[in-house]
Amino acid sequence: MKRLLLAILFLPALAVGGLLALNNPEPLPPASDSARRLADGPLPIARLPLELADRSRPTDANGDFPGSPVRQLKGHLWYPAEGGPYPLLVYSHGFTSDHRNGAYLAEHLASHGFVVAAVNHPLTHWGAPGGPRVADVVNQPGDMSFLIDRLLARSADAGDVLAAAIDGGRIGALGVSLGGLTATLAGFHPTFGDPRIDAVLSIAGPSSFFTSRFFAGDETAFLMLAARADVLVPWEANARPIPAKVPGGELVTLARGSHTGFAGGTRWLRWMNNPDALGCWAVKRNIENGEEEDWGQLLGTEAQGIDLSAAVDLCAVDPLPPAMNVLRQQALTRLVARAFFERSLAVLPATRAAADRFLGETLPAELPELSYAIRP
């Protein structure tokens, strides 16, 4: 009887393990630079809980949530457990997502010499009080700046566990989907932006409403990583124009990538034809007609480089195109993120040069499902 009970208890775990063992992606080409660079770095990493309250800014009322006089930011910091100072990267999650979906990037980047902070934004994460609200994205660049302030202060405190861990002269921002838009606003917006940010990686971030004026005169490094099979933030309107809009702007495209596949939690969905089926369901059920209808007006004016006449075709494709395995997509995302931030923020010129060659030449040569574009 005891053996029978043990078997019954272990059957669900075995079933889950079996599902996870199915549909693993093809490995990267053996002995390739891509396979070598995908390996975790030599640095041991530590994870530190973050629970901060920005008392200088309120959280708006939302649905049945009456609002709050502060913005609560809870998440984690991943950092090399020895040495320093290292560049600081601030990660922003997508709509109806949370900071844990960026852990696969944070862990990899930390092992290669980056400090990575990620928190849940108060009103756009999955469990937001009153339900996730897109319009709060205009407050999220301020969350990034607040994080930068707090972490630089801790690095300057000789008695803190993060003492001398962060180089305040090397700061980057990245995010997925609405988080990609947040990172772009934090890097370039004339009023929301933070001049301390040197490099921005937007992963499938909405950008169709940005004109070239929005990016003009700003030397912040910018790369868009986008997916050709993305049905939530379509590639044609949001990603393809980037090299023409942004001085020095770069675009890396995954030919069969999905939008939802950039989120770490989707590793469970690798058996799906296209995980955007779930992504569309999650986003659509949390956008109320009317309340979110005019949120784009909050982004800025035409004089600031905002063109709200651009059409937004959210989940308009049916049937969904087949997408690449999400584990493959996330492996490629690690490669692109590390190369971009090493090229932009590394101290040694040789490290920057090697990352530049890998990103623009080696990576697309070794992996045909990926392409690279920059303004000639």
Side-chain angles (χ1 to χ4, degrees):
M1 179 62 70
K2 186 180 291 186
R3 290 179 179 175
L4 178 60
L5 288 173
L6 287 172
I8 292 172
L9 289 173
F10 278 110
L11 277 175
L14 290 172
V16 171
L19 284 173
L20 290 178
L22 295 175
N23 200 23
N24 284 321
E26 288 290 324
L28 299 182
S32 65
D33 283 349
S34 297
R36 177 183 60 81
R37 289 180 65 92
L38 186 60
D40 287 337
L43 297 171
I45 62 174
R47 190 179 74 156
L48 183 70
L50 295 175
E51 188 165 346
L52 306 171
D54 184 352
R55 301 185 184 283
S56 69
R57 299 180 303 135
T59 303
D60 294 338
N62 181 42
D64 59 2
F65 172 61
S68 168
V70 302
R71 287 182 69 84
Q72 298 284 348
L73 304 172
K74 297 181 181 181
H76 287 90
L77 185 79
W78 292 261
Y79 62 100
E82 57 189 36
Y86 298 106
L88 172 63
L89 304 179
V90 183
Y91 171 88
S92 179
H93 62 76
F95 183 60
T96 74
S97 182
D98 68 35
H99 78 280
R100 292 169 294 184
N101 277 316
Y104 78 98
L105 279 172
E107 291 169 356
H108 181 73
L109 291 165
S111 75
H112 286 282
F114 294 89
V115 176
V116 187
V119 296
N120 288 349
H121 296 291
L123 292 182
T124 62
H125 69 93
W126 180 258
R133 183 185 182 196
V134 174
D136 199 54
V137 68
V138 297
N139 295 308
Q140 295 184 171
D143 296 340
M144 283 191 155
S145 292
F146 178 74
L147 269 175
I148 293 170
D149 291 342
R150 285 298 186 92
L151 293 172
L152 291 184
R154 293 189 64 173
S155 182
D157 182 350
D160 196 285
V161 68
L162 297 177
I166 298 171
D167 182 348
R170 294 185 291 154
I171 298 176
L174 71 157
V176 172
S177 189
L178 196 70
L181 171 57
T182 300
T184 305
L185 294 172
F188 292 91
H189 198 281
T191 55
F192 304 155
D194 190 321
R196 295 171 295 184
I197 294 174
D198 303 300
V200 171
L201 171 60
S202 175
I203 303 174
S207 65
S208 61
F209 35 72
F210 293 133
T211 69
S212 57
R213 178 179 294 183
F214 180 78
F215 299 99
D218 195 317
E219 296 183 356
T220 301
F222 183 82
L223 186 144
M224 169 75 77
L225 172 59
R228 198 67 176 88
D230 186 334
V231 300
L232 282 98
V233 180
W235 181 90
E236 189 67 31
N238 295 277
R240 184 188 60 79
I242 288 298
K245 284 183 181 180
V246 187
E250 300 165 282
L251 170 63
V252 174
T253 299
L254 307 185
R256 295 176 58 247
S258 64
H259 185 88
T260 311
F262 287 118
T266 57
R267 63 186 182 276
W268 298 87
L269 306 178
R270 59 183 179 266
W271 45 267
M272 293 184 70
N273 178 63
N274 189 324
D276 281 357
L278 181 61
C280 285
W281 171 83
V283 169
K284 283 187 169 182
R285 74 186 294 267
N286 284 286
I287 295 180
E288 296 180 10
N289 292 330
E291 182 181 358
E292 300 291 2
E293 199 171 68
D294 298 325
W295 70 269
Q297 301 289 340
L298 303 174
L299 291 175
T301 65
E302 183 178 350
Q304 293 174 319
I306 307 297
D307 176 12
L308 297 176
S309 67
V312 178
D313 297 321
L314 177 67
C315 298
V317 176
D318 186 25
L320 296 181
M324 70 166 61
N325 186 299
V326 296
L327 294 184
R328 177 79 167 197
Q329 181 165 338
Q330 291 166 21
L332 301 185
T333 303
R334 289 187 188 96
L335 289 172
V336 172
R338 178 189 161 197
F340 171 69
F341 284 118
E342 281 187 346
R343 196 277 312 282
S344 303
L345 302 176
V347 170
L348 297 178
T351 302
R352 291 190 178 221
D356 187 51
R357 285 193 301 272
F358 176 75
L359 181 62
E361 300 173 15
T362 306
L363 187 58
E366 291 182 344
L367 303 174
E369 69 265 52
L370 180 150
S371 62
Y372 172 87
I374 188 171
R375 179 186 293 180

